[in-house]
Amino acid sequence: MEPVVTAETTPLFHVWTVSEVKAGTLTQCLGVARFIDPEPHVITVRRKVSWRNPPFSPLRDLASRRPPDIIISCGGKAHSHTILLARLCRKRPLTVHLAKPLPAYEDRYDLAFISRHDWMAGRHDRPNFHPVVGVPHRIDPEEITARRSEARARYAVCERPVATLLAGGPNRVYLYDESTIDRLLTAVRALAGDGWRVLICTSRRSPSSLQQTLAALADDRIVVWDCVGENPFRDYLAAADALIVTKDSITMTCEALATGKPVYSFDLAHGRENAHLEKFERFHADMSDSLGLTRRFEGSLAPYAYEPPLESRRIAAIVQRIALQTRANGKGEVTR
């Protein structure tokens, strides 16, 4: 395993991240970048590069900041910005994308790390493409272990086992209709009635109506974050003996797996049948049926064992190795 770069060590490479404004894409970039450069320069974008609306801020950054040795990007709108920045650098940086690149950009990245549910036949023939379990993120098993004692002291009241529910929000494939919300509320009440202390944390995508509905459950057995003050997300992870994650969030599912505790996926109503729904369902089938990492929630939170994936660290090790080999070449040629 490659050594972890910390603020006390001098990084070998300076990293810029380019991501969409969506929190999930930035989290992936920072999850990998921190193992290479603890202080990467962060760029978030809302639209593709357009000559009518050129990205002046990143261009100013190139003039005033240390240029990147590595650019790590995520999200379809990040492609054009990443390639433009790489072209404008005096010394070409290594370009890395954390997802399946759009077809027009597949040959323009030095490395791409593609989730297994997006992997397609023939990609093993491309040495710059690497399959990934789920998605990278910023939660580590070591951090969860370090937090657990204090989190348990705060949330594990009266020796009750702790179940953490991570709830997202509706998207273009999953719905939080009345029936789905009723099932969610029934599940929480049933767990509390069976002796669990339930911690509930919503996400940035959670509508206020869902937050309010969940907040109405709060009592001595059910704790619901009120979205005021510091987000207890990491402590809720650390305190958990088991977790439930709504199926709309791939990132939260992967973050929950850093705990090493059972992770159960909560089914949601489906929107229109389309490629996006198929993608999410492939992800969940891969994580449960193929890899045995998660299970479908059917009322029970029975224990089971698995090895938490360390994909952010593994991706960073590959990126740094390739960057070192490329630097050794001395010609800016990427060695894959």
Side-chain angles (χ1 to χ4, degrees):
M1 183 68 67
E2 296 288 335
V4 176
V5 177
T6 68
E8 288 72 38
T9 61
T10 301
L12 295 173
F13 302 100
H14 183 45
V15 177
W16 285 25
T17 68
V18 181
S19 65
E20 296 178 351
V21 295
K22 294 185 293 187
T25 58
L26 177 59
T27 291
Q28 291 187 50
C29 290
L30 294 180
V32 173
R34 66 202 165 113
F35 291 113
I36 304 170
D37 181 354
E39 297 183 357
H41 177 54
V42 174
I43 296 172
T44 56
V45 300
R46 295 181 179 276
R47 58 180 66 87
K48 299 176 182 178
V49 167
S50 167
W51 295 113
R52 293 183 178 181
N53 297 288
F56 289 117
S57 179
L59 297 180
R60 286 196 300 267
D61 289 348
L62 276 176
S64 60
R65 292 178 174 271
R66 174 184 168 184
D69 301 302
I70 300 168
I71 302 177
I72 300 175
S73 65
C74 188
K77 295 182 179 66
H79 290 319
S80 55
H81 294 265
T82 300
I83 301 307
L84 175 61
L85 286 170
R87 281 182 174 179
L88 293 174
C89 289
R90 181 173 299 177
K91 183 178 180 182
R92 186 183 181 281
L94 189 75
T95 53
V96 180
H97 194 64
L98 304 178
K100 178 178 67 175
L102 294 172
Y105 292 92
E106 285 193 346
D107 295 322
R108 305 181 75 177
Y109 277 94
D110 298 313
L111 293 168
F113 294 88
I114 303 170
S115 296
R116 284 165 50 103
H117 60 280
D118 274 338
W119 195 260
M120 295 175 62
R123 289 215 159 104
H124 285 295
D125 297 332
R126 305 182 67 128
N128 60 323
F129 284 3
H130 299 263
V132 177
V133 174
V135 296
H137 53 82
R138 290 188 283 175
I139 305 295
D140 297 307
E142 295 87 350
E143 176 190 4
I144 296 302
T145 299
R147 283 178 174 266
R148 183 165 173 81
S149 178
E150 186 174 341
R152 294 283 295 178
R154 182 173 183 181
Y155 294 112
V157 176
C158 300
E159 303 301 318
R160 282 175 172 262
V162 174
T164 292
L165 167 63
L166 305 178
N171 57 21
R172 51 185 163 180
V173 297
Y174 292 118
L175 307 176
Y176 280 72
D177 58 9
E178 184 176 348
S179 175
T180 296
I181 293 176
D182 284 345
R183 285 193 297 105
L184 191 60
L185 299 180
T186 298
V188 172
R189 293 190 185 102
L191 289 170
D194 288 341
W196 291 85
R197 192 157 202 248
V198 184
L199 311 179
I200 302 176
C201 188
T202 53
S203 75
R204 293 178 181 87
R205 289 190 300 104
S206 302
S208 59
S209 58
L210 177 62
Q211 172 67 37
Q212 292 166 7
T213 300
L214 292 171
L217 293 172
D219 59 23
D220 61 331
R221 303 168 303 169
I222 302 170
V223 178
V224 184
W225 180 47
D226 60 6
C227 297
V228 176
E230 184 177 355
N231 190 330
F233 178 73
R234 283 174 160 78
D235 285 336
Y236 280 17
L237 292 180
D241 295 299
L243 302 99
I244 306 170
V245 186
T246 55
K247 288 179 71 172
D248 57 281
S249 180
I250 289 176
T251 300
M252 287 198 301
T253 299
C254 295
E255 290 170 333
L257 288 168
T259 66
K261 302 297 181 182
V263 176
Y264 285 84
S265 297
F266 190 87
D267 279 326
L268 302 171
H270 292 181
R272 291 185 304 170
E273 298 287 333
N274 56 37
H276 296 289
L277 176 59
E278 293 174 4
K279 170 182 173 179
F280 272 84
E281 291 296 301
R282 282 199 309 272
F283 164 76
H284 289 293
D286 187 45
M287 299 298 271
S288 59
D289 302 340
S290 301
L291 299 174
L293 294 172
T294 66
R295 294 186 179 178
R296 180 179 179 182
F297 179 72
E298 296 179 333
S300 170
L301 295 179
Y304 64 92
Y306 61 90
E307 191 67 28
L310 299 173
E311 293 298 79
S312 297
R313 190 187 298 258
R314 184 179 70 86
I315 292 169
I318 294 172
V319 171
Q320 185 154 281
R321 173 174 58 81
I322 299 299
L324 284 168
Q325 292 173 349
T326 301
R327 178 178 286 180
N329 285 345
K331 298 179 181 179
E333 297 175 357
V334 175
T335 302
R336 294 164 179 163

